[in-house]
Amino acid sequence: MWIASFNGNRLGVVEGDTIADVTTALDAIPPQTWPLSFGDPLYRYLDAVVARASELLPDAPRSPISDIVLNSPVRTPSKIIAAPVNYKKHLDEARDDVEINRGAHVRTIDELGVFLKSSTSVIGAGETIRLPFDGRRIDHEIELAAIIGREGKSISRDDALEHVAGYAIGLDMSVRGTEDRSWRKSHDTFTVIGPWLVTADELPDVSNLDFSLSVNGSERQNSNTSMMIWDVAKLIEYASATYTIYPGDIIMTGTPEGVSPVGPGDVLECRIEKIGEMTVNVR
Ligand code: MN
């Protein structure tokens, strides 16, 4: 199932160019009481919501996707776990470009491990990336995003994909500079997740997906997930050895070569095979 969040508080199922409104399927989520669980309750109760959505689908009202505003299919992740330099050619370009490396030695993912982005940086495809200041280079990074569906700690590589609810396109917007990644990549609107969630049962293998990003119609990034240095399972194994992962947590799997600066008015067209396409505006 392709599950979308839209128009602020609506839940939809995507069918081709239309979206079916199944918002009342959210009634399958039990009332929340304090203290709340970490994460996004949609993902903690996703199986029940999907079952209810399937029942509602035949009679659900439909709209063209072009008529609605897409929000992130994950709204309240407890954390966003991100892989630095997880594609060899991006490592090479970072080492070659002083605007990216600022004269510092660029380390590998084996040396760096993973980092966290602020959970409040998330927006959807229909929202707008807002550049926080002039005069700093801010780059696009297209990445496969894995969304966690099942809580876990110290998850083995063999079990890792059983904890994934599904996948989406991710944008890891990044200020270049010497500050820590957790600051450079955590500004409000700097994590775009969309256009929707493709549930893992429909996408059991993400190890060989073409993906690309264009800025104002000019292609900048074009790669394949087979070029990842640490795959999704390894990222989950590594991250969950440190912190419990919760339903709705986002794994940003790293970007390939071709990162470049964006400015106000730019339009980013993002595509991942078998997930879809999203067009995101920058202001
Ligand atoms: Mn990144």
Side-chain angles (χ1 to χ4, degrees), residues 16-267:
D17 294 334
T18 66
I19 191 160
D21 189 326
V22 293
T23 302
T24 54
L26 295 170
D27 294 347
I29 299 174
Q32 306 292 295
T33 56
W34 189 89
L36 300 179
S37 302
F38 282 115
D40 187 327
L42 172 61
Y43 289 82
R44 186 170 292 275
Y45 299 100
L46 189 64
D47 289 348
V49 172
V50 165
R52 186 78 187 105
S54 298
E55 294 169 6
L56 292 166
L57 206 47
D59 298 320
R62 283 160 167 81
S63 307
I65 288 176
S66 54
D67 286 356
I68 55 102
V69 175
L70 285 164
N71 304 111
S72 170
V74 187
R75 303 298 286 272
T76 51
S78 84
K79 54 193 170 298
I80 302 166
I81 299 159
V85 287
N86 199 23
Y87 286 76
K88 173 68 167 62
K89 287 182 181 172
H90 176 54
L91 174 65
D92 293 341
E93 81 178 343
R95 285 181 164 159
D96 291 343
D97 187 341
V98 72
E99 280 191 25
I100 297 177
N101 65 44
R102 304 285 155 169
H105 170 64
V106 179
R107 289 178 287 166
T108 66
I109 189 167
D110 295 282
E111 296 170 301
L112 289 165
V114 297
F115 66 97
L116 296 181
K117 290 170 65 104
S118 172
S119 55
T120 49
S121 64
V122 173
I123 60 168
E127 298 171 71
T128 300
I129 297 167
R130 294 182 186 276
L131 304 179
F133 30 60
D134 296 328
R136 292 289 300 264
R137 174 170 163 173
I138 297 171
D139 286 2
H140 55 78
E141 295 189 351
I142 186 172
E143 312 195 357
L144 175 71
I147 317 300
I148 296 300
R150 184 147 61 85
E151 185 175 324
K153 178 80 194 333
S154 301
I155 299 162
S156 73
R157 171 182 177 78
D158 287 346
D159 294 339
L161 297 186
E162 292 171 22
H163 291 259
V164 176
Y167 300 91
I169 306 172
L171 278 174
D172 174 23
M173 302 304 296
S174 305
V175 182
R176 297 301 173 200
T178 57
E179 298 91 347
D180 195 87
R181 281 183 175 80
S182 67
W183 179 84
R184 292 189 289 106
K185 294 165 172 279
S186 285
H187 294 267
D188 285 0
T189 76
F190 269 30
T191 306
V192 185
I193 300 292
W196 38 70
L197 178 87
V198 177
T199 53
D201 59 308
E202 296 204 13
L203 195 45
D205 181 9
V206 294
S207 66
N208 185 20
L209 300 177
D210 286 331
F211 64 106
S212 62
L213 177 145
S214 296
V215 180
N216 306 328
S218 169
E219 187 171 271
R220 301 290 171 80
Q221 295 188 273
N222 187 330
S223 188
N224 184 284
T225 55
S226 63
M227 306 297 285
M228 276 184 207
I229 298 170
W230 285 12
D231 64 11
V232 174
K234 168 138 189 179
L235 289 166
I236 290 172
E237 180 181 62
Y238 183 93
S240 71
T242 297
Y243 15 69
T244 301
I245 56 172
Y246 290 95
D249 281 1
I250 298 167
I251 314 271
M252 298 288 285
T253 58
T255 202
E257 71 279 10
V259 300
S260 70
V262 298
D266 282 351
V267 177

